[in-house]
């Protein structure tokens, strides 16, 4: 079968993986490039090469230098085919890292690149689960994959699967000892001679029992090979065998009371046996070649899934609790806990940005406002540093029992973040002083039994508006002078969620459920006077909305309101309180066919970039449309980009960097758009990226920090016009070629830009950049 090499590899070689500090850097990057922000707080699996310890963190892989401790990372941004990692194993014979994913896909990371083996994932004859439970590397030529449907013999040289042994029970692990294959299953151990020509018939395999030194009925906890022996954890006791057929029990190595064997590993000088109880405790022992039992682990593990011993006899644990863990010296001396700068978790439901700080809410409700349970708090990213506001790190937050943060916003005048807890109320966080304030039924008009707040948004007067889901008076306001007000709209359902505020001060509010709708509310001139309040409700009965579910609402740069439904977006470019206002649906031409804009898509999120282009997050990736929605600019998917997952729940544009932050079901990323946010005038920092343009550079040359929709002329040093364009928002883009398609010659180039009609106006700008020759 043919093999595939990944087509968007950036840095893939085992020796040159991107460092975490570089990966998280929020420095200028090329248009179309990605930054991925994944949690690096715990190990899901661990393996080793001669130089490195490799940790799977489920969504990426960390490589830790055994000498010096330097850390590198690889994820989908760097060319991996999938996101959810099941197992990893390093093949020291062939110097390659093997990555098995939860859907059966496999990547092999070599010095030449990433080789993808999608044959299990894409095999339609395999019904049911396609889990890869274990990777057993036998020698430089072969490995065995233990799967939910059987055993696969894998040719490591040719990167081909030679044969598949289908079983009637999932194979947990398979090992080769001398000439015997031994498979661990829920029924017990099975064995067969590896040269048996009929071994593909699993019925020929021998179930090992009392005749083989084992019990008649037993449970297999784990198996491993070390040297010329195979070891099996059987009912919390360790058995060994020289041939894989006959076993003897090792005396005195018995599980502590209440503990069971979790794993056995034989990669180092000792056989390592890891135990776990039903709580949060673990115990580790090491077995010498003459069966002496040594204490090990140094108290490093709590819920270890696996552990390995390196050349210095340090133990490295893949632990379900936080931190990358290993003994400091030898088997049992000291313990090192390391948490690398990263968001606490991969989940996110809302994003806010202010003055370079990016705030992420970790979530707490579904898109239909069903209650979830997410205790990952809030992540704050600033200048390549992460702050995680979460109960695990903050005792005050833990005591308050505030979690399920679904919506967030930043005070327009103060250093305060407001978060909607879809469980406890509203939380205020002064991110300079670190002071927390909790609003609940004791100090705010919140329902005591169901204090679920779905969203918070500030208006131009610095009044905070919140949706109090399922409450009798579900719209809440906190004014600048700290006065609370509540409102009771004339609607049947009070399951209200997302808020967007238009340029008239109207609050557009999601009404969840089936059928759902959009509530529009305006409090009038006097917030305390209910007589001038206005309400309007839109659904499929009185508007152009055809979908029965509402997911998202966004006001664009021109004041139009875009409503995301389960049948595409609907645009309201009218006064919602006028009878004629019913919204419109854009007609688009796609592949020569006229249709309705994204009518088959569930629009889970909407954002606009600096050029007022529309970004729609759906269950099928991100659709980027022109400002009026009529033209498709991009369709970004997991299949054609490093996007972690096609389900995109939140989007947020940072006008100062041109980055579009993306929150999918599998994690947080940022994409460098072609645009910058802007005012009508140029910023004080107009610059060209990259500058200088070095030999071999093939990307877009971007002039950033311009006035909105500025006219830009690029000339050579003699004033000869090379290219002219118009900025998208605050950024102009040039492909480095003149009007005839010729690549620009090396030299100094001048950029003349103006946001007015004339280049002689005061609102014009001149800058320069250099193209370097070969």
């Amino acid at each position: 079968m043919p093999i595939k090499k990944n087509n968007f590899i950036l840095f893939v070689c085992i020796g040159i993986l991107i460092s975490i500090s570089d990966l998280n850097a929020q420095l200028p990057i090329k248009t179309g490039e990605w930054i991925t922000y994944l949690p690096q707080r715990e190990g899901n699996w661990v393996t080793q090469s001669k130089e490195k310890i490799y940790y799977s963190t489920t969504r990426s892989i960390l490589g830790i230098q055994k000498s010096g401790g330097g850390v590198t990372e690889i994820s989908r941004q760097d060319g991996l085919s999938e996101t959810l990692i099941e197992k990893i194993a390093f093949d020291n014979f062939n110097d390659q890292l093997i990555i098995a994913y939860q859907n059966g896909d496999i990547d092999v990371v070599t010095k030449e690149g990433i080789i993808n083996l999608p044959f299990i994932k894409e095999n339609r004859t395999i019904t049911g689960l396609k889990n890869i439970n274990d990777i057993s590397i036998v020698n430089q030529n072969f490995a065995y994959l233990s799967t939910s449907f059987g055993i696969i013999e894998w040719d490591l040289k040719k990167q081909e699967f030679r044969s598949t042994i289908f079983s009637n029970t999932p194979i947990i692990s398979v090992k080769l000892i001398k000439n015997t294959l031994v498979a661990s299953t829920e029924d017990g151990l099975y064995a067969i001679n590896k040269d048996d020509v009929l071994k593909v018939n699993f019925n020929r395999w021998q179930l090992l029992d009392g005749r083989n030194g084992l019990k008649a009925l037993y449970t297999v906890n784990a198996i491993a090979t070390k040297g010329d022996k195979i070891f099996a954890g059987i009912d919390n006791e360790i058995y060994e065998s020289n041939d894989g057929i006959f076993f003897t029990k090792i005396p005195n190595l018995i599980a502590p009371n209440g503990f069971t064997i979790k794993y056995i590993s034989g990669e180092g000088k000792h056989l390592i046996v890891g135990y776990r109880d039903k709580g949060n405790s673990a115990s580790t022992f090491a077995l010498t070649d003459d069966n002496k039992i040594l204490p090990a682990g140094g108290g490093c593990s709590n819920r270890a899934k696996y552990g390995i011993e390196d050349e210095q006899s340090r133990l490295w644990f893949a632990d379900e609790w936080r931190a990358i863990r290993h003994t400091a010296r030898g088997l049992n001396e000291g313990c090192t806990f390391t948490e690398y700068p990263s968001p606490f978790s991969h989940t996110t439901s809302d994003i806010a940005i202010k003055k370079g700080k990016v705030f992420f809410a970790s979530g707490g409700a579904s898109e239909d406002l069903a209650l979830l349970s997410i205790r990952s708090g809030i992540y704050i990213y600033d200048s390549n540093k992460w702050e995680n506001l979460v109960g695990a790190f903050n005792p005050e937050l833990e005591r308050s029992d505030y979690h399920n943060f679904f919506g967030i916003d930043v005070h327009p005048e103060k250093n305060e973040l407001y978060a909607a807890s879809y469980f406890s109320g509203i939380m205020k966080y002064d991110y300079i002083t670190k002071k927390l304030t909790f609003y609940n039924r004791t100090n705010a008009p919140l329902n005591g039994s169901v204090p679920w707040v779905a969203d918070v948004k500030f208006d131009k007067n610095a009044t905070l508006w919140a949706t109090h889901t399922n409450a009798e008076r579900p719209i809440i306001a906190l004014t600048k002078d700290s006065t609370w007000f509540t409102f009771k709209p004339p609607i049947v359902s009070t399951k209200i969620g997302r808020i967007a505020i238009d340029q008239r001060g109207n609050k557009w509010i999601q009404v969840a459920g089936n059928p759902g709708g959009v509530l529009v509310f305006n409090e009038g001139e006097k917030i305390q006077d209910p007589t001038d309040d206005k309400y309007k409700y839109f659904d499929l009965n009185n508007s152009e909305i055809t979908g029965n579910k509402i997911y998202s609402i966004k006001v664009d740069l021109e004041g139009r309101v875009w409503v995301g439904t389960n049948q595409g977006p609907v645009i309201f470019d009218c006064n919602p309180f006028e009878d004629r206002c019913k919204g419109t649906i854009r007609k688009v031409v796609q592949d020569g066919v006229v249709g309705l804009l994204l009518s088959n898509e569930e629009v889970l999120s909407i954002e606009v970039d600096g050029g007022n282009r529309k970004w729609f997050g759906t269950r099928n990736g991100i659709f980027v449309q022109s400002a009026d929605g009529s033209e498709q600019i991009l369709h970004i998917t997991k299949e054609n980009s490093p996007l972690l997952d096609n389900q995109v729940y939140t989007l947020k544009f940072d006008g100062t960097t041109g980055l579009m932050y993306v929150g999918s079901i599998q994690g947080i990323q940022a994409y460098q758009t072609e645009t910058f946010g802007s005012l009508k005038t140029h910023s004080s920092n107009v610059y060209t990226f990259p500058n200088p343009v070095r030999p071999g550079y093939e990307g877009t040359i971007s002039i950033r920090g311009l006035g909105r929709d500025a006219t830009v002329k690029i000339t050579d040093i003699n004033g000869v016009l090379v290219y002219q364009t118009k900025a998208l928002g605050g950024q102009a883009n040039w492909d480095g070629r003149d009007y005839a398609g010729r690549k620009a010659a090396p030299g100094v180039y001048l950029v003349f830009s103006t946001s007015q009609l004339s280049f002689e106006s005061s609102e014009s700008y001149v800058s320069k950049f250099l193209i370097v020759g070969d």
Side-chain angles (χ1 to χ4, degrees), residues 19-39:
S19 71
I20 288 179
S21 59
D22 289 340
L23 184 66
N24 283 332
Q26 193 168 296
L27 301 173
I29 59 175
K30 287 197 303 184
T31 297
E33 286 190 344
W34 292 78
I35 305 173
T36 301
Y37 308 97
L38 291 171

Side-chain angles (χ1 to χ4, degrees), residues 604-618:
L604 305 176
S605 53
I606 308 174
E607 181 59 305
V608 299
D609 62 19
N612 204 26
R613 301 183 306 176
K614 308 303 179 294
W615 292 63
F616 298 102
T618 73

Side-chain angles (χ1 to χ4, degrees), residues 109-277:
V109 184
T110 73
K111 289 185 176 179
E112 288 72 40
I114 297 177
I115 300 170
N116 180 236
L117 304 174
F119 314 122
I120 298 174
K121 169 189 167 185
E122 296 177 356
N123 192 322
R124 296 183 180 180
T125 64
I126 300 172
T127 59
L129 298 175
K130 298 180 180 180
N131 298 58
I132 298 173
N133 299 320
D134 194 24
I135 305 166
S136 180
I137 299 166
V138 174
N139 53 42
Q140 63 182 355
N141 296 311
F142 292 106
Y144 291 95
L145 300 178
S146 304
T147 75
S148 55
F149 55 84
I151 301 166
I152 296 175
E153 186 180 62
W154 178 9
D155 188 323
L156 294 170
K157 291 293 188 183
K158 297 180 179 180
Q159 299 295 2
E160 293 179 353
F161 297 155
R162 293 174 61 92
S163 63
T164 300
I165 303 167
F166 289 97
S167 61
N168 54 10
T169 184
I171 305 297
I172 299 169
S173 182
V174 62
K175 304 295 180 185
L176 177 65
I177 184 69
K178 296 181 180 175
N179 264 4
T180 302
L181 283 171
V182 180
S184 167
T185 75
E186 294 177 353
D187 302 327
L189 295 178
Y190 287 82
I192 199 169
N193 189 294
K194 75 174 182 64
D195 297 322
D196 189 322
V197 295
L198 297 178
K199 67 177 181 291
V200 293
N201 180 1
F202 196 71
N203 291 326
R204 286 184 55 82
W205 289 54
Q206 176 189 356
L207 176 61
L208 306 182
D209 53 24
R211 294 166 294 181
N212 305 94
L214 303 173
K215 301 175 183 177
L217 296 173
Y218 57 90
T219 299
V220 183
N221 304 109
I223 62 172
T225 56
K226 184 178 183 303
D228 58 357
K229 292 184 179 181
I230 185 169
F231 296 84
I234 304 290
D235 292 337
N236 286 331
E237 297 178 307
I238 302 297
Y239 289 74
E240 64 177 348
S241 172
N242 294 316
D243 59 6
I245 300 296
F246 297 99
F247 286 78
T248 58
K249 184 170 67 174
I250 297 175
N252 302 323
L253 187 55
I254 301 173
N257 187 35
F259 285 73
T260 57
I261 295 173
K262 180 64 178 177
Y263 65 88
I264 308 172
S265 70
E267 297 190 25
K269 181 180 177 181
H270 305 87
L271 186 78
I272 306 301
V273 183
Y275 300 88
R276 264 177 43 179
D277 66 2

Side-chain angles (χ1 to χ4, degrees), residues 614-671:
K614 308 303 179 294
W615 292 63
F616 298 102
T618 73
R619 298 194 197 281
N620 293 306
I622 303 169
F623 293 85
V624 184
Q625 302 288 135
S626 58
D628 65 357
S630 63
E631 178 187 356
Q632 186 176 115
I633 309 298
L634 290 170
H635 181 200
I636 302 171
T637 68
K638 175 185 172 184
E639 289 70 33
N640 65 17
S641 77
L643 182 65
L644 294 173
D645 194 272
N646 284 335
Q647 292 194 60
V648 177
Y649 286 112
T650 185
L651 295 160
K652 186 68 175 180
F653 181 67
D654 185 348
T656 62
T657 62
L659 289 172
M660 181 67 72
Y661 286 90
V662 178
S664 74
I665 196 171
Q666 296 301 344
I668 301 167
Q669 296 176 279
Y671 176 87

